[in-house]
Amino acid sequence: MAAQKGVDKGRGWSLGLAGLLAPAAFWLGVFFLVPLLLILAYSFGTSGVYGGITLGFNPENYLKVFDPLYLQIIVRSTVIALLNTLICLAIGYPLAYFIAFRGGSWKTALILLVMIPFWTSLLVRAYAWVVILGGNGLANRTLQFLGITDGPITLIFTPQAVMMGLVYSYLPFMVLPLYASLEKFDARLKEAAQDLGASRWQTFWRVTFPLSLPGVIAGSILVFIPSAGEFVIPDLLGGSQTVMTGNLIQQQFLNARDWAFGSALAVMLAVLMLGAILIYVRRIGTDRLEGV
Amino acid sequence: MVRGAPILKRVGSLPDWALLLFAGLVYLFLYAPIFVLMFFSFNSARSTQVWEGFSLRWYAELFRDQSVLDAFYTSMVVGVTATAISTVIGTLAALALARHSFRGKTLADSTIYAATVMPEIVVGVSLLAFFVAVQFQLGITTIIIAHVAFCISFVTIVVRARLSGMDRSLEEAAMDLGADPPTTFMKITLPLILPGVMAGALLAFTLSFDDFVITFFVAGAGASTLPLKIYSMIKFGVSPVINALSTVLLVATLVCILGGSRFFSRKEE
């Protein structure tokens, strides 16, 4: 059927087009979409005592989220991910602003310097903080040297340690889109605002910042989504004290063997992600098309 | 602000100085932990905190550790295989998406973007559930399958960006001069999109080589990649051997980035 339309290159289906798309469609279909549908089905199933799953329509796994034990973990994860987003924005915005407007001929080098840690292994970055925050590590000795503390205090395996690791790991995700949107900024707009009598502060809040909003939102999504599902950093820096949703999912799949509940959590995380992306596309995607 | 102005030109008023100072502190924050980590890999004592003197003993120990070498080998096999497969599949898909409009294109586009933004833990557990459901033995094969699945989208996006900036009249000229579609592809299209394909392949290899979360779920007990090995070493306890391994990886990454950016900036000329 597809082969019949073979002549019409560029629009509609053809044999050649099917050949180009088939491998990707197969791989992503079988090894990405089908597994997602599988956990969607599992999330409405019932976990057996020995780890098996009986399929059905059981909303219990989703209701289990409201169990105070789990709700506490989910709320904490969301708060930590939100805080991480805000801190990355507070640190990343001035940095991106500095690189875009004061970087001069150093721009490329400065942005490359932000990207290098982003290209290095996540585990190596987390390990650096395990060492610094651990035992009588560099952080503790600095605190003692400055006279803030008298002896070593517990820094690792705290929510603060997780925050530190998250900000450290996700900062580049915030800086890159911010830089991309500030870099395109037409400096004449700023001059115009100032010529019309706006102070530097007013110029920033009424001209520069609103125009960089696509970058702010893109960066916030890029930081919030993965940090809400983060599992390595709380695992290495939070220990059993600061469990996040990602750790909870991992426990359900590997230790508790309650795959139905684990699937429900994973589905919720995926839906959260899709929701955020949709909001982004609706609110910013179209604005951007209208030309900046 | 004039483009290309020297870095310090506008630094004169308080906000600019504050901005410069702030940027300096952020770079310190980004790099100090890495440098501390590298520094203590040369420590002669077992401590990763107290400096005793210079030594290369942890590097010697690292390169004697067969399990680390095995994990490195596994990572290379997985990385090269997954890169080769995903680069071919992703490039083909990019050609289809950049050149054709067809029914279901929105679904194809959405799937590709969803695969890049889906939280890794969701991808990891869903693949684990899938492999267990179809009774596929977990091991190096499942790792490669999973890596190809998440690399395809990135390759497609990178190659497609290159294709959209390409002048199609060259291909039309080749066809008019009598070249058949395969010849046109090999002689005209492929050389033109090669930088994009290479960039996609490089990205795929980096993602595969660094991936921990997805691999963690689909590796099973049999196979261990380098990130899995590092994870179990950290879990076992802090040791300068991990510092040495981290240093080797950091230097390798840096060399690749600098080499890669050189290669691509020369290609652009």
Side-chain angles (χ1 to χ4, degrees):
Chain A
M1 186 184 107
Q4 292 297 314
K5 295 179 188 168
V7 234
D8 189 17
K9 218 177 174 219
R11 49 187 63 240
W13 282 90
S14 67
L15 193 61
L17 173 62
L20 291 176
L21 268 182
F26 167 77
W27 212 289
L28 288 177
V30 177
F31 301 118
F32 177 65
L33 292 179
V34 170
L36 288 179
L37 291 174
L38 184 68
I39 59 163
L40 181 64
Y42 279 1
S43 72
F44 289 105
T46 311
S47 285
V49 191
Y50 302 105
I53 286 190
T54 321
L55 294 178
F57 191 81
N58 177 7
E60 205 177 281
N61 299 306
Y62 287 95
L63 297 174
K64 215 167 164 181
V65 164
F66 296 103
D67 180 326
L69 178 70
Y70 301 122
L71 192 62
Q72 180 205 342
I73 294 173
I74 293 163
V75 169
R76 179 170 53 212
S77 293
T78 314
V79 170
I80 288 179
L82 269 175
L83 268 178
N84 178 36
T85 311
L86 289 176
I87 297 174
C88 283
L89 186 60
I91 299 176
Y93 200 101
L95 182 68
Y97 187 94
F98 174 79
I99 300 172
F101 296 129
R102 305 284 187 271
S105 47
W106 290 78
K107 258 188 206 174
T108 317
L110 287 171
I111 206 71
L112 192 67
L113 276 174
V114 175
M115 280 174 78
I116 288 171
F118 162 81
W119 282 90
T120 58
S121 161
L122 175 69
L123 285 163
V124 168
R125 283 177 282 158
Y127 173 68
W129 285 97
V130 171
V131 173
I132 290 170
L133 297 173
N136 199 14
L138 202 66
N140 252 317
R141 280 184 293 142
T142 310
L143 287 175
Q144 286 166 55
F145 176 77
L146 294 172
I148 298 170
T149 52
D150 294 329
I153 55 166
T154 314
L155 292 173
I156 197 168
F157 305 139
T158 59
Q160 289 83 348
V162 176
M163 282 304 316
M164 202 73 185
L166 286 173
V167 171
Y168 186 70
S169 299
Y170 286 101
L171 190 57
F173 288 84
M174 182 64 89
V175 176
L176 295 179
L178 282 175
Y179 171 76
S181 76
L182 285 170
E183 223 270 318
K184 285 186 304 205
F185 182 76
D186 187 346
R188 284 174 304 180
L189 290 171
K190 228 158 64 169
E191 283 161 23
Q194 273 163 358
D195 287 348
L196 292 168
S199 68
R200 295 180 68 157
W201 194 244
Q202 281 173 320
T203 310
F204 176 76
W205 284 112
R206 308 202 45 180
V207 180
T208 316
F209 187 75
L211 284 171
S212 67
L213 222 49
V216 172
I217 295 182
S220 300
I221 289 175
L222 282 177
V223 172
F224 181 74
I225 298 302
S227 53
E230 184 56 59
F231 138 76
V232 183
I233 291 166
D235 187 63
L236 292 177
L237 290 167
S240 56
Q241 301 300 311
T242 313
V243 176
M244 287 178 67
T245 312
N247 310 84
L248 193 58
I249 296 175
Q250 180 240 329
Q251 282 169 14
Q252 299 313 312
F253 272 89
L254 299 184
N255 308 335
R257 298 202 66 81
D258 185 350
W259 284 24
F261 181 46
S263 297
L265 289 167
V267 168
M268 280 171 35
L269 199 59
V271 169
L272 174 76
M273 182 280 301
L274 288 175
I277 301 292
L278 277 180
I279 291 171
Y280 174 72
V281 172
R282 286 266 163 82
R283 297 288 295 274
I284 302 302
T286 47
D287 283 8
R288 201 192 255 171
L289 286 177
E290 281 159 19
V292 164
Chain B
M1 186 77 314
V2 184
R3 268 167 197 252
I7 190 163
L8 289 173
K9 197 174 175 185
R10 274 290 306 263
V11 179
S13 52
L14 184 67
D16 283 352
W17 269 115
L19 209 55
L20 180 66
L21 181 70
F22 184 83
L25 286 174
V26 178
Y27 282 108
L28 188 70
F29 169 67
L30 284 176
Y31 282 91
I34 295 176
F35 284 125
V36 169
L37 185 74
M38 291 168 99
F39 184 71
F40 280 100
S41 70
F42 299 106
N43 198 1
S44 60
R46 179 158 278 283
S47 171
T48 52
Q49 309 281 358
V50 184
W51 182 253
E52 298 274 327
F54 179 85
S55 134
L56 289 175
R57 62 182 278 210
W58 305 113
Y59 288 89
E61 199 164 298
L62 173 69
F63 290 111
R64 268 201 309 269
D65 189 334
Q66 194 55 45
S67 64
V68 171
L69 298 178
D70 288 345
F72 174 75
Y73 179 73
T74 308
S75 276
M76 287 303 284
V77 170
V78 169
V80 169
T81 316
T83 302
I85 300 174
S86 62
T87 303
V88 172
I89 297 182
T91 303
L92 294 178
L95 284 165
L97 291 168
R99 297 282 169 83
H100 301 264
S101 56
F102 51 89
R103 214 155 17 121
K105 191 173 180 178
T106 316
L107 175 70
D109 272 333
S110 318
T111 308
I112 281 164
Y113 283 104
T116 63
V117 292
M118 190 60 73
E120 284 194 290
I121 188 144
V122 176
V123 177
V125 295
S126 65
L127 273 168
L128 169 67
F130 173 77
F131 287 132
V132 170
V134 299
Q135 295 184 337
F136 202 112
Q137 177 77 41
L138 296 180
I140 192 164
T141 316
T142 50
I143 300 178
I144 293 172
I145 290 174
H147 284 205
V148 172
F150 70 73
C151 288
I152 288 175
S153 302
F154 289 96
V155 174
T156 305
I157 291 170
V158 172
V159 175
R160 195 177 168 183
R162 179 84 196 178
L163 274 166
S164 68
M166 204 184 108
D167 187 359
R168 289 209 68 179
S169 56
L170 289 166
E171 286 174 314
E172 280 155 18
M175 301 272 238
D176 288 346
L177 292 169
D180 55 4
T183 314
T184 311
F185 178 76
M186 293 309 288
K187 296 239 157 140
I188 306 290
T189 319
L190 192 58
L192 280 172
I193 62 168
L194 201 60
V197 176
M198 294 289 287
L202 197 66
L203 184 60
F205 184 80
T206 316
L207 290 169
S208 164
F209 198 81
D210 272 350
D211 181 72
F212 170 72
V213 177
I214 295 170
T215 315
F216 180 76
F217 288 101
V218 299
S224 179
T225 61
L226 204 51
L228 293 184
K229 178 65 192 166
I230 297 174
Y231 176 77
S232 69
M233 285 166 89
I234 299 173
K235 277 284 180 183
F236 189 72
V238 167
S239 148
V241 177
I242 313 176
N243 291 49
L245 179 53
S246 304
T247 307
V248 171
L249 284 175
L250 287 165
V251 171
T253 312
L254 205 62
V255 169
C256 288
I257 292 176
L258 293 177
S261 65
R262 270 243 168 116
F263 172 79
F264 289 114
S265 61
R266 206 182 310 150
K267 274 276 170 190
E268 291 303 316
E269 278 163 16

